[in-house]
Structure formats: structure tokens, C-alpha cells
Amino acid sequence: MDFLKVADDIVQKLWSYNQDESGWTLAKNSKDVVVSWKPSSEYGGNMYRGEGIIEDTPENIIPFMYLPEHRMHWDKALKSYTLLERIDEDTAICHTVTHSYGMGLISSRDFVDLVRVKRYEGGIVTTNCKYCCRVIILKSITIFFSSTVT
């Protein structure tokens, strides 16, 4: 699988959602964050868009979002978070495991995501993510199956 091409494709798709102002419904507007949603044309559900300004540089913020030594300190939903492969400076494959919730009614979930950080003129930075694999654990062997990329 050409992960750089997949990452480029998802960056373009997500940027097009950002540029599309039609059909978004305001879900929440606080002092620092605006969250909007609209029905997805790709799956039976809604897409959500969060926008906000963080008073710092991307070089200081991005490591806290994606490096395991930082992410585990602030994201309490995570049971584990592992950087599996760094493809280039702005692209990586990460494995995330969430905690179970509701006294086990909602089980722990595994995700393997392709993550791309994209910088635009004017200081805009987007973080783009695509679920890319199913994880099956058999004894102590982990096997990754690539999903179909659309």
C-alpha cells in the first residue's frame, strides 16, 4: 500500500470539507472551539468539524498530539498509544487502544491509523487521519490486514 498517496488523498478530501461551507449545522460554539456537523455523503452518519485557535506554534503543539510520550498524559480515553512507523516527517502509522466504558458494556477498541500533518500558507495546520487496518492478536503475534482504501 502506498501510504504517502493515501495520506495525500485524505488531506485533499478533508481540506475540501473545510472549504465547503454549505450544509454545516452548528453543534457547539464556545469561547475557544466551534463544532459543526453535516450528513456524510460517504457513510450513513454525520461528519463533524472542529475549529479553534491555539495560542502557540504548530511545532510545539503537534508533538503533544501524536508522540506517545505526550499523548498518554493528556488523552485519558486511551489505554495505549504506539507510534508503529514514521513514514516521513509529517506522516506516521499509529496504534491506539481505548479503555472500555460503562462497566464493560462498551468494549475496548483498537485502531491503526494513518496520520498526516499538513501545513498551509498563513499558519494553518491540519491533522488528518484515516483508519487503515484491522488488528487481530493471536497469542503474542499481531497481524495487520490492510483495509480497502477508497
Side-chain angles (χ1 to χ4, degrees):
M1 177 181 291
D2 184 352
F3 288 117
L4 289 174
K5 178 169 179 356
V6 173
D8 286 340
D9 291 346
I10 197 65
V11 164
Q12 289 177 6
K13 181 181 286 189
L14 293 177
W15 186 250
S16 75
Y17 296 153
N18 181 61
Q19 298 301 299
D20 176 15
E21 292 298 323
S22 64
W24 292 98
T25 301
L26 181 66
K28 182 173 180 152
N29 187 359
S30 71
K31 183 177 98 178
D32 300 319
V33 176
V34 175
V35 177
S36 306
W37 66 272
K38 75 183 209 176
S40 172
S41 60
E42 297 182 36
Y43 58 89
N46 296 323
M47 297 188 300
Y48 289 85
R49 175 172 72 179
E51 300 173 86
I53 296 174
I54 299 172
E55 304 270 341
D56 207 336
T57 64
E59 291 73 26
N60 289 336
I61 300 300
I62 298 300
F64 281 93
M65 295 176 69
Y66 294 110
L67 293 180
E69 59 267 26
H70 300 299
R71 178 89 183 254
M72 290 301 295
H73 288 290
W74 65 266
D75 194 341
K76 301 304 179 198
L78 300 185
K79 187 175 186 178
S80 71
Y81 180 79
T82 307
L83 181 68
L84 297 177
E85 181 179 348
R86 177 153 308 275
I87 297 169
D88 67 17
E89 178 183 345
D90 294 321
T91 311
I93 298 174
C94 300
H95 178 225
T96 306
V97 180
T98 63
H99 290 288
S100 64
Y101 291 97
M103 298 186 320
L105 292 174
I106 300 173
S107 62
S108 179
R109 304 280 194 241
D110 275 82
F111 302 93
V112 176
D113 294 312
L114 177 63
V115 177
R116 164 69 65 88
V117 176
K118 175 72 175 171
R119 291 160 179 80
Y120 295 90
E121 289 183 26
I124 296 172
V125 176
T126 62
T127 56
N128 309 273
C129 185
K130 181 171 181 67
Y131 170 77
C132 64
C133 303
R134 292 186 302 275
V135 178
I136 299 176
I137 299 176
L138 304 171
K139 297 183 182 176
S140 63
I141 302 171
T142 303
I143 305 169
F144 296 93
F145 295 95
S146 295
S147 64
T148 304
V149 178
T150 57

